[in-house]
């Protein structure tokens, strides 16, 4: 079966609990644009509906094939993950209003949404990382793909042009160290550091939701403000003085108690603890490589600047996920690597369509 040119375009959707990411590709695999919308799914399905609609309004053409992957089924809006998967698919079908929406079922590949039954739920739930891994494995013989996002970090080993995966579910991957629940925006500072070196003493960090890692990276000047679409811990401004004020509270201070440079030093001290945790997770996975001479670290996600630092510390070649593609996103300032699973699942869907002679 042949389809017309407009229908050949593919858009991959990565539906998370805090963000919706999307990537629009043409039939040649050129990336037309990548998008990110805030989507606080735990607050209600209307957040997903609005985020989907916002991206649809930006598309140059409505005649596209849709494929979705997700991790948002985990949010506590749903009684369990099965309900989450089912309701996310239902909302996507309604808002996208297409005859055929493909759902990425990880190990099982692409399944039309109309054919999803309970037996597919476990493979669909939080399988977005696998799309990125499979795509990267098609391009690289060996490497460690590390995707640092706003909330989590995925560590995926590639060997012999294949994913070398120990776990599949979130539970399994938390146990294998392939999923580390830390990110550069939404993660609470209290989840990263219990004490820090500050003003010549070791001081405890309060177990209070006073500041997030977005505050830390705003003070280190590493945060791309376009990536921070979440509310601050106190609901106030996203400025350096406001971030310093929030961070000061974490050690029982007012911002006026010390200089702005000292608050920046505190931010770097917290950054170091998060970086060391991710580095230890990288080292754990790299111990499994068959040929250490071929070691390579691929950075993805909005926090991949940390992975570049880790690769340098370990003396391993670093490569950006963006470099695995022939073209950059054409329409906006978001990078391919910022939305790796959305881009990857669109490519995998196009590849599957071509192998089925429908592209």
């Amino acid at each position: 079966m042949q389809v017309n040119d407009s229908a050949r375009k593919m858009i991959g959707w990565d539906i998370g609990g805090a963000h919706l990411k999307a990537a629009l590709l043409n039939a040649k695999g050129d990336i037309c644009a990548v998008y990110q919308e805030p989507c606080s799914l735990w607050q209600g399905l209307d957040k997903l509906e609005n985020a989907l609609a916002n991206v649809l309004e930006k598309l140059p053409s409505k005649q596209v094939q849709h494929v979705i992957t997700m991790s948002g089924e985990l949010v506590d809006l749903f009684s369990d993950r099965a309900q989450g998967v089912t309701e996310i698919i239902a909302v996507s079908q309604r808002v996208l209003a297409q005859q055929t929406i493909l759902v990425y079922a990880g190990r099982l590949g692409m399944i039309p949404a109309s054919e999803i039954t309970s037996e597919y739920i476990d493979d669909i739930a939080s399988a977005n990382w696998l799309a990125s891994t499979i795509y990267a494995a098609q391009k690289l013989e060996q490497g460690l793909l590390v995707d640092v996002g706003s909330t989590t970090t995925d560590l995926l080993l590639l060997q012999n042009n294949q994913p070398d995966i120990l776990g599949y579910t979130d539970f399994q991957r938390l146990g294998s160290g392939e999923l580390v629940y830390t990110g550069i925006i939404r993660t609470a500072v209290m989840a990263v550091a219990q004490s820090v070196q500050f003003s010549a003493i070791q001081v405890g960090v309060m177990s209070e939701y006073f500041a997030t890692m977005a505050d830390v990276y705003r003070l280190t000047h590493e945060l791309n403000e376009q990536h921070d679409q979440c509310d601050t811990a106190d609901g106030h401004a996203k400025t350096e003085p406001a971030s310093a004020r929030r961070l000061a509270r974490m050690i029982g201070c007012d911002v006026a108690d010390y200089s702005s440079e000292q608050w920046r030093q505190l931010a770097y001290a917290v950054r170091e603890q998060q970086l060391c945790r991710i580095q230890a997770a990288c080292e754990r996975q790299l111990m499994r490589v068959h040929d250490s001479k071929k070691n390579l670290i691929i950075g993805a996600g909005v926090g991949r600047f940390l992975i570049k630092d880790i690769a340098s510390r370990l003396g391993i070649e670093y490569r950006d996920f963006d470099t695995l593609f022939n073209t950059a996103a054409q329409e906006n300032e978001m990078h391919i690597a910022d939305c790796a699973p959305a881009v990857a699942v669109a490519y995998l869907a196009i590849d599957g369509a071509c192998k089925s002679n429908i592209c």
Side-chain angles (χ1 to χ4, degrees), residues 34 36 53-54 77 90 99 111-112 138 162 174 183 235 239 252 256 275 285 288 301 311 318 329 340 352 355:
V34 292
Q36 177 176 293
N54 288 343
L77 173 68
Q99 284 187 327
I111 311 291
Q138 293 175 354
Q162 295 290 330
L174 286 166
T239 63
L275 185 144
Q285 300 307 318
R288 300 194 289 119
Y318 173 82
K355 289 178 181 177

Side-chain angles (χ1 to χ4, degrees), residues 102-243:
L102 297 176
V103 179
Y104 183 59
R107 298 168 291 191
L108 303 179
M110 307 292 174
I111 311 291
S114 59
E115 299 178 13
I116 298 298
T117 59
S118 60
E119 65 186 289
Y120 296 117
I121 296 296
D122 288 343
D123 285 286
I124 294 169
S126 295
N128 57 348
W129 58 271
L130 186 56
S132 304
T133 313
I134 290 175
Y135 179 84
Q138 293 175 354
K139 302 294 180 180
L140 299 168
E141 178 185 357
Q142 180 174 305
L144 178 65
L145 172 60
V146 188
D147 188 333
V148 183
S150 65
T151 312
T152 61
T153 297
D154 294 297
L155 303 100
L156 302 320
L157 192 63
L158 319 172
Q159 300 206 76
N160 301 316
N161 289 109
Q162 295 290 330
D164 186 356
I165 304 303
L166 298 176
Y168 188 85
T169 67
D170 280 351
F171 174 74
Q172 292 167 347
R173 296 175 63 237
L174 286 166
S176 66
E178 293 165 300
L179 172 61
V180 180
Y181 236 84
T182 193
I184 70 151
I185 293 174
R186 296 183 62 239
T187 299
V189 168
M190 63 179 173
V192 173
Q194 279 66 60
S195 66
V196 290
Q197 186 74 21
F198 181 75
S199 189
I201 63 169
Q202 192 74 18
V203 59
V205 172
M206 291 185 174
S207 295
E208 294 281 0
Y209 186 61
F210 286 146
T212 66
M213 293 305 291
D215 294 311
V216 167
Y217 292 110
R218 184 171 290 112
L219 292 181
T220 65
H221 299 157
E222 294 171 296
L223 178 68
N224 182 336
E225 294 293 347
Q226 185 176 348
H227 297 155
D228 182 12
Q229 298 178 325
C230 301
D231 292 336
T232 59
D234 60 5
H236 293 156
K238 295 179 180 180
T239 63
E240 286 192 39
S243 286

Side-chain angles (χ1 to χ4, degrees), residues 107 330 343:
R107 298 168 291 191
Q330 300 167 11
V343 180

Side-chain angles (χ1 to χ4, degrees), residues 39-90:
C39 180
S40 49
L41 188 54
W42 67 92
Q43 295 179 348
L45 287 169
D46 61 307
K47 302 297 183 181
L48 175 55
E49 294 175 3
N50 293 338
L52 288 167
N54 288 343
V55 174
L56 285 177
E57 288 181 1
K58 299 173 184 177
L59 297 182
S61 170
K62 303 298 186 264
Q63 298 300 314
V64 294
Q65 173 66 59
H66 299 268
V67 55
I68 66 173
T69 185
M70 68 183 72
S71 59
E73 78 287 338
L74 182 65
V75 302
D76 52 15
L77 173 68
F78 308 119
S79 60
D80 56 30
R81 304 185 82 173
Q83 181 194 6
V85 169
T86 301
E87 295 200 14
I88 286 171
I89 292 173

